[in-house]
Amino acid sequence: MERFYEALLEKAQVKRGDIIDVASDLLSVMLRFRERREAFDANRLLDALKEAVGEEGTVLIRTFNWDFCRGVPFHYKKTPSRVGSLGNTALKRPDFKRTRHALYSWCVWGREQEFLTEIDPVDSFGDDSIFAFLEDHHANLIRIGDIKSSSITNFHRAEQQAGLPVRFIKSFTGMYTGSDDVCREKTYSMFVRKLEYTIRECKEATDEIMLRRGVMLRYCHEGVLIDRIDLKAGGEVLYQDILAGRWGDWVECFKNPGT
């Protein structure tokens, strides 16, 4: 499958200078390679992402991990990604550098690497967060593979800005070992679900809304789905829907019995 990785990104119109937040479920990609009796190589995909955006662009690979919320110490060098194998591959590479947040971190390569790996916001979705940076710089979320959940974590920022009534900002304090190998106590906050509610993100409904509103483009390359989502435009659509009371179009929410 010569040039598969490059052709996949060309199909999604990833180009030089782009800032891309990459979310992936690589099972469909690996199955495609197995059908051809070839080996999938995550490092080649990372190299193709770098080549597609060039040095003037930036690649962010998700390494999110929420164990800190349960009291598990965070270690900058050792805490793994809980959102896919591509992040764990990037964590092993010297050309990618991890951002600092204990809950929402990325491995970053490219023009904005130094800036993004130096900032350390407390609020996951605040105005000084990486999610705000992605919006402000018109980044795109690139979803590779048939991802089961919505994976549009950035939309929690729109929920927080609009004051979604079934969530609230909660702080988590724990032990944190940074890139300097020094262990210290740190606090981070997140816009979390109120315990009396159950919230279910419906990927199919969310994708339909984004496709209809023109903030997402969907492609398929040799049986592998790849989506390109405008994070700035998508966040604004959700923000306005929440203000208008239409957020139920995006998520299912109901109060738990006995609460």
Side-chain angles (χ1 to χ4, degrees):
M1 297 176 69
E2 189 68 23
R3 290 198 79 253
F4 173 87
Y5 306 94
E6 294 81 2
L8 181 70
L9 300 175
E10 289 169 6
K11 178 76 77 170
Q13 302 180 51
V14 177
K15 60 185 183 301
R16 298 189 73 81
D18 279 355
I19 298 175
I20 55 174
D21 172 17
V22 181
S24 61
D25 181 343
L26 298 177
L27 178 60
S28 62
V29 182
M30 290 187 284
L31 290 175
R32 189 64 177 152
F33 272 79
R34 183 180 297 176
E35 290 171 1
R36 300 291 187 89
R37 300 181 185 278
E38 297 181 34
F40 168 73
D41 188 342
N43 281 297
R44 282 195 60 193
L45 175 55
L46 291 173
D47 290 339
L49 288 162
K50 289 171 53 178
E51 179 64 26
V53 303
E55 291 185 359
E56 60 269 44
T58 305
V59 178
L60 295 91
I61 307 295
R62 297 175 171 200
T63 54
F64 302 168
N65 187 307
W66 301 277
D67 289 349
F68 188 81
C69 299
R70 300 187 292 106
V72 178
F74 176 87
H75 197 295
Y76 179 88
K77 298 176 182 178
K78 298 178 181 179
T79 295
S81 168
R82 297 295 187 201
V83 290
S85 61
L86 191 62
N88 287 319
T89 300
L91 282 169
K92 298 175 183 177
R93 291 179 50 144
D95 50 343
F96 281 83
K97 188 176 178 182
R98 194 176 202 172
T99 61
R100 298 185 179 190
H101 203 281
L103 310 178
Y104 292 104
S105 67
W106 286 260
C107 275
V108 183
W109 177 90
R111 180 177 179 177
E112 301 292 345
Q113 182 189 72
E114 183 176 356
F115 172 77
L116 292 173
T117 54
E118 286 299 319
I119 63 174
D120 191 16
V122 171
D123 187 346
S124 297
F125 306 112
D127 290 341
D128 60 347
S129 68
I130 291 180
F131 289 107
F133 171 91
L134 292 171
E135 283 190 359
D136 294 342
H137 289 75
H138 299 277
N140 287 280
L141 172 62
I142 302 298
R143 296 195 309 197
I144 301 173
D146 187 13
I147 298 176
K148 301 303 181 185
S149 63
S150 71
S151 74
I152 314 176
T153 314
N154 206 89
F155 284 4
H156 292 318
R157 172 166 162 77
E159 293 176 342
Q160 180 170 309
Q161 288 180 305
L164 189 70
V166 294
R167 293 186 182 273
F168 70 104
I169 297 176
K170 182 176 181 178
S171 294
F172 300 90
T173 299
M175 302 312 297
Y176 178 106
T177 301
S179 59
D180 56 2
D181 291 319
V182 175
C183 184
R184 55 180 69 83
E185 186 177 82
K186 295 189 74 169
T187 297
Y188 293 94
S189 66
M190 183 168 56
F191 198 49
V192 301
R193 171 182 62 87
K194 293 181 179 179
L195 293 179
E196 61 265 35
Y197 292 96
T198 294
I199 304 174
R200 294 175 181 166
E201 296 185 21
C202 180
K203 178 178 185 294
E204 290 73 21
T206 300
D207 287 0
E208 181 182 340
I209 293 170
M210 291 191 298
L211 287 166
R212 188 172 66 249
R213 305 273 188 101
V215 300
M216 181 173 86
L217 299 173
R218 171 161 287 172
Y219 308 91
C220 185
H221 178 67
E222 295 197 29
V224 176
L225 290 176
I226 181 165
D227 298 329
R228 180 186 178 99
I229 300 167
D230 183 327
L231 291 173
K232 177 72 172 179
E236 181 62 23
V237 168
L238 175 56
Y239 176 79
Q240 295 298 336
D241 277 1
I242 294 173
L243 293 184
R246 294 193 299 267
W247 53 275
D249 294 343
W250 295 76
V251 295
E252 291 182 303
C253 178
F254 53 88
K255 198 164 186 180
N256 298 322
T259 61

